[in-house]
Amino acid sequence: MKQYILTVYQPDGDPPPAGELEKIMQKVEAWNEELKAADAWVFTGGLHPADTATVVRLRDGETLTTDGPYTEGKEHIGGFTIIRVADLDAALKWAAEFTRITTLPVEVRPMLDGD
């Protein structure tokens, strides 16, 4: 079994209205429960908005910190789920189901396994 990270991209700005968001989150929780029942779920995490980020970088031997996201954009990573499945096709199936629930884009990438 291989691990994949499903990275969810959210548009910047306000979330959907509370009633709509609640319905979406109920479906997301059901999706998480399906992952767990399939023994594919490893870890899920949500993130605060991109404007809460602090970027740390090294420049000319000095550590610098700056506010805000690393890159400017109209969407940023809003959360992620790490899954353990047989192959990329299985990971893409889970990502497609999540995208149907939320309409948000999901990037699927294999995790390095240390080999």
Side-chain angles (χ1 to χ4, degrees), residues 48-101:
H48 286 278
D51 64 3
T52 65
T54 303
V55 178
V56 180
R57 69 179 85 223
L58 188 65
R59 182 168 291 146
D60 297 326
E62 285 192 45
T63 303
L64 303 175
T65 60
T66 55
D67 292 337
Y70 178 72
T71 60
E72 295 297 322
K74 294 183 180 183
E75 61 185 21
H76 290 88
I77 298 171
F80 60 91
T81 299
I82 297 174
I83 61 173
R84 185 181 308 108
V85 293
D87 54 29
L88 178 60
D89 289 338
L92 293 173
K93 175 191 147 297
W94 286 107
E97 187 175 331
F98 187 90
T99 297
R100 279 192 293 277
I101 292 168

Side-chain angles (χ1 to χ4, degrees), residues 29-40 93-94 97:
E29 185 54 36
W31 179 82
N32 276 323
E33 292 305 316
E34 287 179 36
L35 273 171
K36 290 174 184 177
D39 201 28
K93 175 191 147 297
W94 286 107
E97 187 175 331

